[in-house]
Amino acid sequence: MKHHFLQIENLKKSYPGPDKDSELVIFENANFTIDKGEFVCVIGHSGCGKSTILNILAGLDEASDGIVIMDGKEISGPSLERGVVFQNYSLLPWRTALQNVTFGVQARWPEWSKDKVQEHSLRFLELVGLKGAEDRKPSQLSGGMRQRVSIARAFATQPQLLLMDEPFGALDALTRGVIQEELIKIWEESKQTVFMITHDVDEAILLADRILLMTNGPKARIAESVKVSIPRPRKRTEIIHHQDYYKIRNHLVDFLVDRSKQDITVLNPKDASPKIIDLAS
Amino acid sequence: MLKSLKVKSALLSIIFLVILLGIWEGANQAPTDTKPLTEYEMLMGGASQEARVPPPSEVIELGFKELSDPFYDAGPNDKGIGIQLGYSIYRVMVGFLLAAAIAIPIGFLIGMSPLMYNALNPFIQVLRPISPLAWMPLALFIIKDSEISAIFVIFICSIWPMLINTAFGVANVRKDWINVARTHQLSPLQTAMQVILPAAAPTILTGMRISIGIAWLVIVAAEMLVGGTGIGYYVWNEWNNLDLASVIFSIFMIGVIGMLLDMMLAYAARWVTYQE
């Protein structure tokens, strides 16, 4: 069996139901793997448990069943090896942009000198295009700039796995486009392994190597794993001309509109892993 | 626009003050004599000895005299206003700081642990509404020292707002910020110092501000009871001397010092306030 960097096996989350023996299953039989350096996006309707999966990977939530193995070890609790970019940025409002980044860097490398922490943090703020804004408090930054600080904080700690929970969900379309390209830039430089939740099909195609599709909850499953066969480096303006772009996009939209509602998931009966879809021509 | 508003309101304040003092002054003039003074009245210094609230001019005159030499000490019954206020401020500060040293850590504990909250809540709810002066007899009996008993009364009255506000502030730190601390693997102590304390600091400072306000209210009453020194004792002593100008002047000084104590903490609060 091939050894993957991240293995999620039979993950399940449920809450006790109204009756004694009933339970409310959010999702079950979630099986998937992520390789080192891979960028994986998850798409699904609201309420299918995407964020719960991410929180379990982050160690902020506990699974009802199943295990997560990272680098050969089962994860338990939060760790600096798994960085998180939250949807609402979660910056500490009493710290400046730079201090929010140094917060992560100091936690990661407590033995570093003050200068080194400062220099390292500044470099990552520059990478997300925030040079000159390092002394501003989050309340003095726009939504897009705040999310950039949050991304810089996560990348600066250089975790083995980066988890992003709809990082651009609250941003307007123009800002989102700019930050997406910055994210690609910083990702290509750092070769991070990324697991990202999104609602935006085009965003997923632009960023991901592979897209996981979830059916609707309750009892949601990860039904398909769609390979994005568009070569990198990708640009927003260019990928739409690639021959596979609309094939992939139509497949995703079709799934979200029609197939996600029914439980027609053709799971591999042996290990219940998602059906692998490769639309490359 | 803003500046003109400030100027206008300042002008209006001055007009109100002048009207107020004018009415006070006019209403409390010494009665003019309509008939010649009797021999007795002559002996007692004229009709101005008739009981009346002293007019502001008299109080202001006394105020200048007192403030020009606030720290004189002519025996236990005749000390400058500065010395009396100094004693009161000293007692308030000692009691308040002791209370803060205990209330803030315990408030942290209660705020972070629902178990401790539920266990300690009944005690707090019963102890909090007790008038701090009700503790005085017990304090005097146990401590056997009026000075320390006064400080104890300040301690017991300023502990509750700080305790409750700290617990409230700590318990209501945004979950997102706690999650940031968790994903960065901060130790509980680091989380408390780097995330919870700065997040709850504005609420804690509000509690401290309420506490010092109450402490300043209570010290006057406490000192009237224990006597000896302090502004509360001074007010009562001047009442016994029937020196109403001094009473009014010290009432005014109590207000000024109370305002300064509050401003001090309001200024401190500005340092820890953040905008979300």
mmCIF file of all heavy atoms in Angstrom, chain A residues 58-60 78-80 82 84 86 88 90-95 103-104 107 139 146 153 157, chain B residues 173-174 176-186 194-196 198-199 272-276:
data_model
loop_
_atom_site.group_PDB
_atom_site.id
_atom_site.type_symbol
_atom_site.label_atom_id
_atom_site.label_comp_id
_atom_site.label_asym_id
_atom_site.label_seq_id
_atom_site.Cartn_x
_atom_site.Cartn_y
_atom_site.Cartn_z
ATOM 1 N N ALA A 58 -7.492 20.056 12.233
ATOM 2 C CA ALA A 58 -6.758 21.060 13.011
ATOM 3 C C ALA A 58 -6.586 20.625 14.460
ATOM 4 O O ALA A 58 -5.752 21.168 15.177
ATOM 5 C CB ALA A 58 -7.493 22.401 12.949
ATOM 6 N N GLY A 59 -7.409 19.671 14.901
ATOM 7 C CA GLY A 59 -7.341 19.248 16.296
ATOM 8 C C GLY A 59 -8.241 20.061 17.196
ATOM 9 O O GLY A 59 -8.193 19.920 18.409
ATOM 10 N N LEU A 60 -9.072 20.932 16.606
ATOM 11 C CA LEU A 60 -9.969 21.762 17.415
ATOM 12 C C LEU A 60 -11.274 21.038 17.723
ATOM 13 O O LEU A 60 -12.011 21.437 18.613
ATOM 14 C CB LEU A 60 -10.277 23.077 16.685
ATOM 15 C CG LEU A 60 -9.082 23.986 16.433
ATOM 16 C CD1 LEU A 60 -9.477 25.157 15.548
ATOM 17 C CD2 LEU A 60 -8.500 24.484 17.741
ATOM 18 N N PRO A 78 -4.515 20.037 18.766
ATOM 19 C CA PRO A 78 -3.915 20.987 17.836
ATOM 20 C C PRO A 78 -2.390 20.906 17.870
ATOM 21 O O PRO A 78 -1.809 20.463 18.853
ATOM 22 C CB PRO A 78 -4.377 22.351 18.380
ATOM 23 C CG PRO A 78 -5.395 22.069 19.427
ATOM 24 C CD PRO A 78 -5.138 20.704 19.921
ATOM 25 N N SER A 79 -1.786 21.324 16.789
ATOM 26 C CA SER A 79 -0.335 21.275 16.708
ATOM 27 C C SER A 79 0.146 22.372 15.770
ATOM 28 O O SER A 79 -0.559 22.776 14.850
ATOM 29 C CB SER A 79 0.110 19.915 16.187
ATOM 30 O OG SER A 79 1.378 20.004 15.598
ATOM 31 N N LEU A 80 1.369 22.826 16.012
ATOM 32 C CA LEU A 80 1.947 23.838 15.127
ATOM 33 C C LEU A 80 2.279 23.265 13.758
ATOM 34 O O LEU A 80 2.534 23.995 12.812
ATOM 35 C CB LEU A 80 3.214 24.421 15.762
ATOM 36 C CG LEU A 80 2.944 25.535 16.769
ATOM 37 C CD1 LEU A 80 4.102 25.710 17.711
ATOM 38 C CD2 LEU A 80 2.668 26.836 16.029
ATOM 39 N N ARG A 82 0.164 21.846 12.034
ATOM 40 C CA ARG A 82 -1.045 22.025 11.232
ATOM 41 C C ARG A 82 -1.538 23.463 11.418
ATOM 42 O O ARG A 82 -2.181 23.772 12.408
ATOM 43 C CB ARG A 82 -2.107 21.010 11.655
ATOM 44 C CG ARG A 82 -1.853 19.621 11.084
ATOM 45 C CD ARG A 82 -2.709 18.573 11.748
ATOM 46 N NE ARG A 82 -2.073 18.052 12.945
ATOM 47 C CZ ARG A 82 -2.636 18.012 14.139
ATOM 48 N NH1 ARG A 82 -3.862 18.462 14.286
ATOM 49 N NH2 ARG A 82 -1.994 17.526 15.167
ATOM 50 N N VAL A 84 -3.672 26.930 10.618
ATOM 51 C CA VAL A 84 -5.051 27.176 10.207
ATOM 52 C C VAL A 84 -5.230 28.629 9.782
ATOM 53 O O VAL A 84 -4.754 29.542 10.456
ATOM 54 C CB VAL A 84 -6.036 26.866 11.361
ATOM 55 C CG1 VAL A 84 -7.470 26.949 10.860
ATOM 56 C CG2 VAL A 84 -5.755 25.509 11.964
ATOM 57 N N PHE A 86 -8.369 30.953 9.358
ATOM 58 C CA PHE A 86 -9.798 30.933 9.649
ATOM 59 C C PHE A 86 -10.554 31.854 8.693
ATOM 60 O O PHE A 86 -10.006 32.837 8.191
ATOM 61 C CB PHE A 86 -10.055 31.388 11.085
ATOM 62 C CG PHE A 86 -9.445 30.483 12.114
ATOM 63 C CD1 PHE A 86 -8.192 30.752 12.645
ATOM 64 C CD2 PHE A 86 -10.127 29.362 12.555
ATOM 65 C CE1 PHE A 86 -7.632 29.922 13.598
ATOM 66 C CE2 PHE A 86 -9.578 28.532 13.516
ATOM 67 C CZ PHE A 86 -8.325 28.812 14.033
ATOM 68 N N ASN A 88 -12.904 33.970 9.394
ATOM 69 C CA ASN A 88 -13.050 35.338 9.910
ATOM 70 C C ASN A 88 -11.715 35.921 10.349
ATOM 71 O O ASN A 88 -11.659 36.765 11.223
ATOM 72 C CB ASN A 88 -14.054 35.355 11.054
ATOM 73 C CG ASN A 88 -13.702 34.328 12.097
ATOM 74 O OD1 ASN A 88 -12.600 33.783 12.058
ATOM 75 N ND2 ASN A 88 -14.584 34.078 13.020
ATOM 76 N N SER A 90 -9.529 35.857 12.391
ATOM 77 C CA SER A 90 -9.075 35.586 13.762
ATOM 78 C C SER A 90 -7.736 36.237 14.083
ATOM 79 O O SER A 90 -6.848 35.612 14.650
ATOM 80 C CB SER A 90 -8.981 34.082 14.014
ATOM 81 O OG SER A 90 -10.257 33.527 14.020
ATOM 82 N N LEU A 91 -7.624 37.503 13.731
ATOM 83 C CA LEU A 91 -6.426 38.238 14.152
ATOM 84 C C LEU A 91 -6.678 38.757 15.555
ATOM 85 O O LEU A 91 -7.815 38.967 15.966
ATOM 86 C CB LEU A 91 -6.174 39.402 13.192
ATOM 87 C CG LEU A 91 -5.911 38.995 11.749
ATOM 88 C CD1 LEU A 91 -5.760 40.226 10.877
ATOM 89 C CD2 LEU A 91 -4.677 38.125 11.648
ATOM 90 N N LEU A 92 -5.586 38.963 16.292
ATOM 91 C CA LEU A 92 -5.722 39.510 17.633
ATOM 92 C C LEU A 92 -5.744 41.032 17.515
ATOM 93 O O LEU A 92 -4.746 41.642 17.109
ATOM 94 C CB LEU A 92 -4.555 39.039 18.515
ATOM 95 C CG LEU A 92 -4.409 37.511 18.548
ATOM 96 C CD1 LEU A 92 -3.174 37.096 19.333
ATOM 97 C CD2 LEU A 92 -5.640 36.840 19.112
ATOM 98 N N PRO A 93 -6.868 41.677 17.829
ATOM 99 C CA PRO A 93 -7.050 43.087 17.468
ATOM 100 C C PRO A 93 -6.153 44.055 18.235
ATOM 101 O O PRO A 93 -6.009 45.197 17.822
ATOM 102 C CB PRO A 93 -8.527 43.352 17.788
ATOM 103 C CG PRO A 93 -8.917 42.294 18.745
ATOM 104 C CD PRO A 93 -8.063 41.103 18.456
ATOM 105 N N TRP A 94 -5.555 43.599 19.340
ATOM 106 C CA TRP A 94 -4.684 44.516 20.086
ATOM 107 C C TRP A 94 -3.252 44.456 19.584
ATOM 108 O O TRP A 94 -2.391 45.170 20.064
ATOM 109 C CB TRP A 94 -4.734 44.213 21.596
ATOM 110 C CG TRP A 94 -4.418 42.788 21.910
ATOM 111 C CD1 TRP A 94 -3.169 42.264 22.139
ATOM 112 C CD2 TRP A 94 -5.329 41.702 22.009
ATOM 113 N NE1 TRP A 94 -3.271 40.928 22.371
ATOM 114 C CE2 TRP A 94 -4.583 40.553 22.311
ATOM 115 C CE3 TRP A 94 -6.705 41.604 21.882
ATOM 116 C CZ2 TRP A 94 -5.172 39.300 22.481
ATOM 117 C CZ3 TRP A 94 -7.288 40.351 22.057
ATOM 118 C CH2 TRP A 94 -6.537 39.224 22.353
ATOM 119 N N ARG A 95 -2.993 43.567 18.633
ATOM 120 C CA ARG A 95 -1.648 43.487 18.069
ATOM 121 C C ARG A 95 -1.647 44.086 16.660
ATOM 122 O O ARG A 95 -2.643 44.001 15.953
ATOM 123 C CB ARG A 95 -1.199 42.018 17.985
ATOM 124 C CG ARG A 95 -0.851 41.435 19.337
ATOM 125 C CD ARG A 95 -0.613 39.952 19.211
ATOM 126 N NE ARG A 95 0.059 39.425 20.395
ATOM 127 C CZ ARG A 95 1.331 39.035 20.400
ATOM 128 N NH1 ARG A 95 2.045 39.066 19.303
ATOM 129 N NH2 ARG A 95 1.877 38.595 21.511
ATOM 130 N N PHE A 103 3.493 36.635 16.514
ATOM 131 C CA PHE A 103 2.812 35.771 17.484
ATOM 132 C C PHE A 103 2.986 34.302 17.093
ATOM 133 O O PHE A 103 3.353 33.460 17.917
ATOM 134 C CB PHE A 103 1.327 36.139 17.517
ATOM 135 C CG PHE A 103 0.483 35.275 18.405
ATOM 136 C CD1 PHE A 103 0.379 35.549 19.751
ATOM 137 C CD2 PHE A 103 -0.211 34.190 17.882
ATOM 138 C CE1 PHE A 103 -0.408 34.756 20.574
ATOM 139 C CE2 PHE A 103 -0.997 33.393 18.702
ATOM 140 C CZ PHE A 103 -1.095 33.681 20.052
ATOM 141 N N GLY A 104 2.739 34.012 15.812
ATOM 142 C CA GLY A 104 2.891 32.642 15.333
ATOM 143 C C GLY A 104 4.343 32.210 15.295
ATOM 144 O O GLY A 104 4.688 31.102 15.705
ATOM 145 N N ALA A 107 5.759 31.433 18.680
ATOM 146 C CA ALA A 107 5.239 30.180 19.212
ATOM 147 C C ALA A 107 5.941 28.998 18.541
ATOM 148 O O ALA A 107 6.214 27.981 19.165
ATOM 149 C CB ALA A 107 3.734 30.103 18.982
ATOM 150 N N SER A 139 -8.037 46.653 12.971
ATOM 151 C CA SER A 139 -9.199 47.516 12.742
ATOM 152 C C SER A 139 -8.912 48.590 11.703
ATOM 153 O O SER A 139 -9.828 49.196 11.161
ATOM 154 C CB SER A 139 -9.632 48.164 14.054
ATOM 155 O OG SER A 139 -8.574 48.923 14.597
ATOM 156 N N ARG A 146 -6.674 42.089 6.060
ATOM 157 C CA ARG A 146 -6.693 41.255 7.270
ATOM 158 C C ARG A 146 -6.455 39.794 6.918
ATOM 159 O O ARG A 146 -5.712 39.097 7.584
ATOM 160 C CB ARG A 146 -8.042 41.365 7.968
ATOM 161 C CG ARG A 146 -8.257 42.694 8.613
ATOM 162 C CD ARG A 146 -9.561 42.681 9.377
ATOM 163 N NE ARG A 146 -10.071 44.036 9.470
ATOM 164 C CZ ARG A 146 -11.178 44.367 10.122
ATOM 165 N NH1 ARG A 146 -11.882 43.434 10.709
ATOM 166 N NH2 ARG A 146 -11.567 45.602 10.185
ATOM 167 N N ARG A 153 0.550 34.867 8.621
ATOM 168 C CA ARG A 153 0.798 34.243 9.927
ATOM 169 C C ARG A 153 0.887 32.725 9.787
ATOM 170 O O ARG A 153 1.755 32.081 10.368
ATOM 171 C CB ARG A 153 -0.333 34.610 10.896
ATOM 172 C CG ARG A 153 -0.190 33.978 12.261
ATOM 173 C CD ARG A 153 -1.233 34.479 13.236
ATOM 174 N NE ARG A 153 -2.587 34.031 12.882
ATOM 175 C CZ ARG A 153 -3.689 34.474 13.483
ATOM 176 N NH1 ARG A 153 -3.601 35.378 14.443
ATOM 177 N NH2 ARG A 153 -4.863 34.026 13.122
ATOM 178 N N THR A 157 4.728 30.261 9.898
ATOM 179 C CA THR A 157 5.085 29.196 10.838
ATOM 180 C C THR A 157 5.483 27.910 10.120
ATOM 181 O O THR A 157 5.893 26.946 10.757
ATOM 182 C CB THR A 157 3.911 28.873 11.791
ATOM 183 O OG1 THR A 157 2.782 28.543 11.010
ATOM 184 C CG2 THR A 157 3.566 30.049 12.675
ATOM 185 N N VAL B 173 -14.059 35.825 26.297
ATOM 186 C CA VAL B 173 -13.046 36.013 25.257
ATOM 187 C C VAL B 173 -13.490 35.231 24.028
ATOM 188 O O VAL B 173 -13.959 34.100 24.144
ATOM 189 C CB VAL B 173 -11.673 35.499 25.743
ATOM 190 C CG1 VAL B 173 -10.674 35.525 24.611
ATOM 191 C CG2 VAL B 173 -11.178 36.359 26.885
ATOM 192 N N ARG B 174 -13.370 35.860 22.856
ATOM 193 C CA ARG B 174 -13.873 35.220 21.639
ATOM 194 C C ARG B 174 -13.237 33.844 21.444
ATOM 195 O O ARG B 174 -12.034 33.671 21.585
ATOM 196 C CB ARG B 174 -13.564 36.099 20.422
ATOM 197 C CG ARG B 174 -14.386 37.340 20.344
ATOM 198 C CD ARG B 174 -15.275 37.389 19.093
ATOM 199 N NE ARG B 174 -14.588 37.034 17.871
ATOM 200 C CZ ARG B 174 -14.186 37.922 16.964
ATOM 201 N NH1 ARG B 174 -14.375 39.190 17.155
ATOM 202 N NH2 ARG B 174 -13.612 37.521 15.867
ATOM 203 N N ASP B 176 -12.664 32.315 18.819
ATOM 204 C CA ASP B 176 -11.683 32.321 17.726
ATOM 205 C C ASP B 176 -10.281 32.588 18.249
ATOM 206 O O ASP B 176 -9.306 31.987 17.810
ATOM 207 C CB ASP B 176 -12.030 33.423 16.720
ATOM 208 C CG ASP B 176 -13.379 33.201 16.082
ATOM 209 O OD1 ASP B 176 -13.769 32.034 15.972
ATOM 210 O OD2 ASP B 176 -14.025 34.192 15.700
ATOM 211 N N TRP B 177 -10.184 33.524 19.196
ATOM 212 C CA TRP B 177 -8.858 33.880 19.708
ATOM 213 C C TRP B 177 -8.281 32.733 20.534
ATOM 214 O O TRP B 177 -7.081 32.473 20.502
ATOM 215 C CB TRP B 177 -8.935 35.174 20.527
ATOM 216 C CG TRP B 177 -9.429 36.325 19.713
ATOM 217 C CD1 TRP B 177 -9.354 36.446 18.354
ATOM 218 C CD2 TRP B 177 -10.082 37.504 20.177
ATOM 219 N NE1 TRP B 177 -9.927 37.632 17.954
ATOM 220 C CE2 TRP B 177 -10.377 38.289 19.050
ATOM 221 C CE3 TRP B 177 -10.436 37.975 21.433
ATOM 222 C CZ2 TRP B 177 -11.011 39.535 19.145
ATOM 223 C CZ3 TRP B 177 -11.069 39.197 21.530
ATOM 224 C CH2 TRP B 177 -11.353 39.970 20.401
ATOM 225 N N ILE B 178 -9.163 32.048 21.272
ATOM 226 C CA ILE B 178 -8.704 30.872 22.014
ATOM 227 C C ILE B 178 -8.226 29.808 21.023
ATOM 228 O O ILE B 178 -7.198 29.158 21.237
ATOM 229 C CB ILE B 178 -9.853 30.304 22.883
ATOM 230 C CG1 ILE B 178 -10.426 31.387 23.795
ATOM 231 C CG2 ILE B 178 -9.386 29.097 23.671
ATOM 232 C CD1 ILE B 178 -9.553 31.784 24.927
ATOM 233 N N ASN B 179 -8.963 29.655 19.914
ATOM 234 C CA ASN B 179 -8.551 28.684 18.913
ATOM 235 C C ASN B 179 -7.207 29.048 18.300
ATOM 236 O O ASN B 179 -6.407 28.170 17.985
ATOM 237 C CB ASN B 179 -9.613 28.575 17.810
ATOM 238 C CG ASN B 179 -10.746 27.653 18.216
ATOM 239 O OD1 ASN B 179 -10.616 26.895 19.177
ATOM 240 N ND2 ASN B 179 -11.849 27.714 17.496
ATOM 241 N N VAL B 180 -6.960 30.341 18.119
ATOM 242 C CA VAL B 180 -5.653 30.769 17.613
ATOM 243 C C VAL B 180 -4.573 30.313 18.586
ATOM 244 O O VAL B 180 -3.550 29.753 18.190
ATOM 245 C CB VAL B 180 -5.614 32.300 17.421
ATOM 246 C CG1 VAL B 180 -4.190 32.773 17.171
ATOM 247 C CG2 VAL B 180 -6.502 32.708 16.259
ATOM 248 N N ALA B 181 -4.806 30.510 19.874
ATOM 249 C CA ALA B 181 -3.830 30.070 20.873
ATOM 250 C C ALA B 181 -3.658 28.555 20.819
ATOM 251 O O ALA B 181 -2.536 28.043 20.898
ATOM 252 C CB ALA B 181 -4.282 30.500 22.270
ATOM 253 N N ARG B 182 -4.768 27.839 20.655
ATOM 254 C CA ARG B 182 -4.675 26.372 20.638
ATOM 255 C C ARG B 182 -3.892 25.880 19.426
ATOM 256 O O ARG B 182 -3.032 25.012 19.561
ATOM 257 C CB ARG B 182 -6.079 25.756 20.627
ATOM 258 C CG ARG B 182 -6.796 25.895 21.957
ATOM 259 C CD ARG B 182 -8.179 25.293 21.894
ATOM 260 N NE ARG B 182 -8.132 23.844 21.731
ATOM 261 C CZ ARG B 182 -9.156 23.108 21.308
ATOM 262 N NH1 ARG B 182 -10.298 23.681 20.990
ATOM 263 N NH2 ARG B 182 -9.041 21.798 21.199
ATOM 264 N N THR B 183 -4.204 26.455 18.238
ATOM 265 C CA THR B 183 -3.491 25.973 17.049
ATOM 266 C C THR B 183 -2.015 26.367 17.074
ATOM 267 O O THR B 183 -1.215 25.798 16.362
ATOM 268 C CB THR B 183 -4.124 26.496 15.741
ATOM 269 O OG1 THR B 183 -4.191 27.918 15.819
ATOM 270 C CG2 THR B 183 -5.510 25.945 15.536
ATOM 271 N N HIS B 184 -1.669 27.336 17.909
ATOM 272 C CA HIS B 184 -0.255 27.677 18.045
ATOM 273 C C HIS B 184 0.375 26.974 19.239
ATOM 274 O O HIS B 184 1.474 27.326 19.659
ATOM 275 C CB HIS B 184 -0.074 29.191 18.155
ATOM 276 C CG HIS B 184 -0.269 29.903 16.852
ATOM 277 N ND1 HIS B 184 -1.505 30.327 16.414
ATOM 278 C CD2 HIS B 184 0.601 30.233 15.869
ATOM 279 C CE1 HIS B 184 -1.380 30.900 15.230
ATOM 280 N NE2 HIS B 184 -0.118 30.848 14.867
ATOM 281 N N GLN B 185 -0.348 26.021 19.794
ATOM 282 C CA GLN B 185 0.156 25.197 20.898
ATOM 283 C C GLN B 185 0.701 26.009 22.058
ATOM 284 O O GLN B 185 1.745 25.705 22.617
ATOM 285 C CB GLN B 185 1.261 24.254 20.397
ATOM 286 C CG GLN B 185 0.714 23.006 19.731
ATOM 287 C CD GLN B 185 1.808 22.010 19.423
ATOM 288 O OE1 GLN B 185 2.750 22.327 18.700
ATOM 289 N NE2 GLN B 185 1.706 20.817 19.961
ATOM 290 N N LEU B 186 0.009 27.077 22.427
ATOM 291 C CA LEU B 186 0.450 27.848 23.581
ATOM 292 C C LEU B 186 0.099 27.078 24.857
ATOM 293 O O LEU B 186 -0.937 26.432 24.936
ATOM 294 C CB LEU B 186 -0.232 29.222 23.613
ATOM 295 C CG LEU B 186 0.073 30.191 22.472
ATOM 296 C CD1 LEU B 186 -0.403 31.584 22.837
ATOM 297 C CD2 LEU B 186 1.552 30.227 22.141
ATOM 298 N N GLN B 194 -0.956 35.937 26.937
ATOM 299 C CA GLN B 194 -0.835 36.539 25.610
ATOM 300 C C GLN B 194 -2.175 36.737 24.912
ATOM 301 O O GLN B 194 -2.276 37.556 24.007
ATOM 302 C CB GLN B 194 0.068 35.674 24.714
ATOM 303 C CG GLN B 194 1.504 35.683 25.164
ATOM 304 C CD GLN B 194 2.393 34.898 24.209
ATOM 305 O OE1 GLN B 194 2.126 34.812 23.019
ATOM 306 N NE2 GLN B 194 3.436 34.311 24.727
ATOM 307 N N VAL B 195 -3.172 35.953 25.303
ATOM 308 C CA VAL B 195 -4.456 36.067 24.603
ATOM 309 C C VAL B 195 -5.570 36.518 25.543
ATOM 310 O O VAL B 195 -6.221 37.534 25.307
ATOM 311 C CB VAL B 195 -4.834 34.730 23.918
ATOM 312 C CG1 VAL B 195 -6.187 34.853 23.239
ATOM 313 C CG2 VAL B 195 -3.763 34.345 22.906
ATOM 314 N N ILE B 196 -5.769 35.794 26.642
ATOM 315 C CA ILE B 196 -6.938 36.083 27.480
ATOM 316 C C ILE B 196 -6.786 37.418 28.199
ATOM 317 O O ILE B 196 -7.714 38.227 28.220
ATOM 318 C CB ILE B 196 -7.172 34.933 28.475
ATOM 319 C CG1 ILE B 196 -7.494 33.654 27.709
ATOM 320 C CG2 ILE B 196 -8.324 35.270 29.421
ATOM 321 C CD1 ILE B 196 -7.616 32.437 28.564
ATOM 322 N N PRO B 198 -4.918 40.242 27.492
ATOM 323 C CA PRO B 198 -5.182 41.428 26.660
ATOM 324 C C PRO B 198 -6.615 41.496 26.143
ATOM 325 O O PRO B 198 -7.159 42.597 26.000
ATOM 326 C CB PRO B 198 -4.180 41.294 25.504
ATOM 327 C CG PRO B 198 -3.572 39.961 25.613
ATOM 328 C CD PRO B 198 -3.804 39.427 26.975
ATOM 329 N N ALA B 199 -7.220 40.337 25.896
ATOM 330 C CA ALA B 199 -8.601 40.364 25.380
ATOM 331 C C ALA B 199 -9.570 40.830 26.459
ATOM 332 O O ALA B 199 -10.532 41.545 26.172
ATOM 333 C CB ALA B 199 -8.989 38.975 24.874
ATOM 334 N N VAL B 272 -5.271 49.847 27.169
ATOM 335 C CA VAL B 272 -5.570 48.439 26.904
ATOM 336 C C VAL B 272 -6.785 48.260 26.010
ATOM 337 O O VAL B 272 -7.110 47.151 25.625
ATOM 338 C CB VAL B 272 -5.790 47.653 28.212
ATOM 339 C CG1 VAL B 272 -4.542 47.687 29.067
ATOM 340 C CG2 VAL B 272 -6.971 48.194 28.977
ATOM 341 N N THR B 273 -7.445 49.364 25.654
ATOM 342 C CA THR B 273 -8.619 49.229 24.806
ATOM 343 C C THR B 273 -8.186 48.932 23.378
ATOM 344 O O THR B 273 -7.188 49.466 22.901
ATOM 345 C CB THR B 273 -9.446 50.518 24.844
ATOM 346 O OG1 THR B 273 -9.711 50.811 26.202
ATOM 347 C CG2 THR B 273 -10.765 50.361 24.108
ATOM 348 N N TYR B 274 -8.922 48.056 22.734
ATOM 349 C CA TYR B 274 -8.630 47.764 21.329
ATOM 350 C C TYR B 274 -9.936 47.837 20.556
ATOM 351 O O TYR B 274 -11.011 47.721 21.112
ATOM 352 C CB TYR B 274 -8.001 46.378 21.182
ATOM 353 C CG TYR B 274 -8.799 45.279 21.813
ATOM 354 C CD1 TYR B 274 -9.854 44.678 21.152
ATOM 355 C CD2 TYR B 274 -8.503 44.839 23.089
ATOM 356 C CE1 TYR B 274 -10.596 43.688 21.729
ATOM 357 C CE2 TYR B 274 -9.237 43.840 23.692
ATOM 358 C CZ TYR B 274 -10.278 43.263 22.997
ATOM 359 O OH TYR B 274 -11.015 42.278 23.585
ATOM 360 N N GLN B 275 -9.780 48.049 19.278
ATOM 361 C CA GLN B 275 -10.953 48.130 18.412
ATOM 362 C C GLN B 275 -11.053 46.864 17.607
ATOM 363 O O GLN B 275 -10.065 46.415 17.029
ATOM 364 C CB GLN B 275 -10.786 49.331 17.489
ATOM 365 C CG GLN B 275 -11.979 50.234 17.510
ATOM 366 C CD GLN B 275 -11.789 51.323 16.492
ATOM 367 O OE1 GLN B 275 -10.662 51.733 16.179
ATOM 368 N NE2 GLN B 275 -12.875 51.796 15.958
ATOM 369 N N GLU B 276 -12.216 46.279 17.569
ATOM 370 C CA GLU B 276 -12.343 45.051 16.789
ATOM 371 C C GLU B 276 -12.606 45.369 15.336
ATOM 372 O O GLU B 276 -13.221 46.353 15.025
ATOM 373 C CB GLU B 276 -13.465 44.195 17.345
ATOM 374 C CG GLU B 276 -12.962 43.240 18.416
ATOM 375 C CD GLU B 276 -14.070 42.302 18.850
ATOM 376 O OE1 GLU B 276 -14.630 41.612 17.991
ATOM 377 O OE2 GLU B 276 -14.356 42.281 20.046
#
